[in-house]
């Protein structure tokens, strides 16, 4: 199996490192536009192999997509972080251009690859990659739900003083402030979380999860990379090993939850063919209202991208 990770920055390099350490693919190719950057990261990961004990080979290239040919899965992490003074539209325009160019190269050399988008703003970058690739939605989707859910589970484990392994949860909607928490579907060792923690404390954890990325930016001055990189690698593993894991991922909804043509996080079965099935939960009125708010927010950003594309046409 061959996996390509586009973007050798913190998130991409972490993803490649987890893939190699867990021996998820025979070959992992790192690609970056900065001369020697991907080569150095890949070499560093490969030199760790004798220490940790793994066989996966990591290779780095500068802009040479021919080296990525026939990849089974491609993870796109390329893009710029939002900088001081940069508007949302500036970020969308810049990163959409990067994701478009990368996706064109990916499809050219690996037309059968499954594409996982990690670039931000996540929901609209998944939209861009899907448009550009022309592939079915089952083969182009975004990583956000696993990351948001992991943060939620980590905070709950801390509050309850239990192992995060025993916490299962589902979050839906857009990545960020309008994510939709589903405490009804959150359990600790099979026990509903609402039996173990009060509503006020649970609400505070949900809110902390919604702004989880911002909390890390304030602490470090830059965005997260360990958890996002590992989350993308977990998605790759589910595909490569045909695990049929149930994960929340960003996908174009086509009638599910009464929503059409908007890219939102929803629970799916992830396996060898990409998204094997979209799971449609029976949401209550409050959850439906939150999902509609999230839908409206993501649609606004999608419309902003559409308007930019028309203006530049």
């Amino acid at each position: 199996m061959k996996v390509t990770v586009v973007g050798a920055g913190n998130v991409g390099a972490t993803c490649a490192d987890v893939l190699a350490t867990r021996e998820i693919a025979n070959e992992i190719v790192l690609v970056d536009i900065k001369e020697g950057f991907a080569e150095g990261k890949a070499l560093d990961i490969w030199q760790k192999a004798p220490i940790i004990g793994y066989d996966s080979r990591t290779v780095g290239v500068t802009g040479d997509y021919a080296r990525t040919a026939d990849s089974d899965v491609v993870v796109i992490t390329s893009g710029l972080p939002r900088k001081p003074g940069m508007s949302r539209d500036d970020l969308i325009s810049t990163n959409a251009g990067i994701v478009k160019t990368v996706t064109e190269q990916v499809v050219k050399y690996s037309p059968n690859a499954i594409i996982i988008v990690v670039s931000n703003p996540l929901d609209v970058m998944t939209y861009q990659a899907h448009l550009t690739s022309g592939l079915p939605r089952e083969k182009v989707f975004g990583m956000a739900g696993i990351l948001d859910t992991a943060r939620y589970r980590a905070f709950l484990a801390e509050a309850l003083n239990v192992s995060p392994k025993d916490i299962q949860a589902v979050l839906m909607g857009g990545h960020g402030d309008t994510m939709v928490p589903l405490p009804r579907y959150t359990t600790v060792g099979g026990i509903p979380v609402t039996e173990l923690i009060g509503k006020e404390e649970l609400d505070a954890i949900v809110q902390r999860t919604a702004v989880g990325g911002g909390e890390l930016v304030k602490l470090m001055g830059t965005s997260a990379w360990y958890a996002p990189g590992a989350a993308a690698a977990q998605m790759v593993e589910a595909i490569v090993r045909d695990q049929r894991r149930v994960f929340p991922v960003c996908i174009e909804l086509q009638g599910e939850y009464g929503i059409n043509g908007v890219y939102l996080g929803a629970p799916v079965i992830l396996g060898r063919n990409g998204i094997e099935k979209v799971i449609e939960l029976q949401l209550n009125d409050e959850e439906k209202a939150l999902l509609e708010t999230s839908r409206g927010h993501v649609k606004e950003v999608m419309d902003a991208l559409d308007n930019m594309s028309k203006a530049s046409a």
Side-chain angles (χ1 to χ4, degrees), residues 22-304:
R22 292 179 59 81
E23 297 185 319
I24 292 167
N26 304 87
E27 183 180 16
I28 299 140
V29 182
L30 263 177
V31 185
D32 204 275
I33 59 170
K34 185 177 177 182
E35 189 70 37
F37 195 59
E39 289 88 338
K41 291 288 185 76
L43 181 59
D44 195 15
I45 295 170
W46 175 237
Q47 290 173 353
K48 182 164 63 72
I51 301 168
I52 303 298
Y54 52 84
D55 301 315
S56 296
R57 184 66 192 269
T58 48
V59 178
V61 294
T62 302
D64 181 12
Y65 283 87
R67 188 64 181 78
T68 74
D70 300 322
S71 292
D72 296 281
V73 185
V74 177
V75 181
I76 300 176
T77 71
S78 310
L80 300 178
R82 187 166 174 175
K83 300 175 182 177
M86 179 183 281
S87 70
R88 182 192 67 173
D89 286 356
D90 289 338
L91 182 65
I92 294 169
S93 177
T94 301
N95 283 355
I98 293 170
V99 169
K100 181 177 185 294
T101 300
V102 167
T103 304
E104 289 169 346
Q105 293 297 309
V106 167
V107 174
K108 177 181 178 181
Y109 289 101
S110 300
N112 298 314
I114 292 169
I115 299 173
I116 299 172
V117 181
V118 184
S119 308
N120 277 317
L122 188 283
D123 308 293
V124 74
M125 291 305 107
T126 303
Y127 172 41
Q128 178 67 74
H130 191 195
L131 279 179
T132 304
S133 70
L135 295 171
R137 66 171 182 163
E138 291 81 9
K139 298 190 72 173
V140 186
F141 39 89
M143 186 292 296
I146 293 176
L147 172 61
D148 290 334
T149 304
R151 287 171 173 163
Y152 177 49
R153 292 164 63 197
F155 297 152
L156 281 171
E158 194 174 4
L160 296 170
N161 196 25
V162 299
S163 169
K165 295 177 184 177
D166 290 331
I167 300 177
Q168 294 296 320
V170 178
L171 298 174
M172 291 184 61
H175 180 45
D177 297 357
T178 62
M179 52 161 258
V180 180
L182 297 173
R184 288 194 304 124
Y185 294 99
T186 303
T187 60
V188 183
I191 303 166
V193 72
T194 49
E195 293 187 18
L196 301 174
I197 193 169
K199 184 179 185 306
E200 187 175 327
E201 190 174 3
L202 183 58
D203 287 346
I205 288 172
V206 167
Q207 179 55 31
R208 186 184 179 191
T209 303
V211 296
E215 179 181 359
L216 288 161
V217 170
K218 287 179 182 177
L219 289 168
M220 303 188 296
T222 186
S223 53
W225 63 86
Y226 292 127
Q234 189 174 53
M235 292 176 72
V236 174
E237 181 178 26
I239 295 165
V240 169
R241 294 181 174 162
D242 195 21
Q243 293 176 329
R244 299 185 66 84
R245 298 288 304 274
V246 176
F247 289 139
V249 308
C250 177
I251 182 175
E252 181 194 23
L253 295 179
Q254 296 177 351
E256 297 90 357
Y257 301 96
I259 296 171
N260 269 296
V262 178
Y263 292 72
L264 290 171
V268 307
I269 297 174
L270 199 57
R272 184 66 188 92
N273 299 310
I275 291 176
E276 307 281 354
K277 180 182 179 181
V278 179
I279 297 171
E280 195 162 3
L281 303 174
Q282 297 302 309
L283 303 181
N284 61 32
D285 290 342
E286 180 184 359
E287 292 159 348
K288 288 177 183 176
L290 290 171
L291 187 61
E292 174 58 26
T293 298
S294 191
R295 183 208 66 80
H297 175 77
V298 171
K299 187 64 168 64
E300 281 183 14
V301 186
M302 288 174 59
D303 289 345

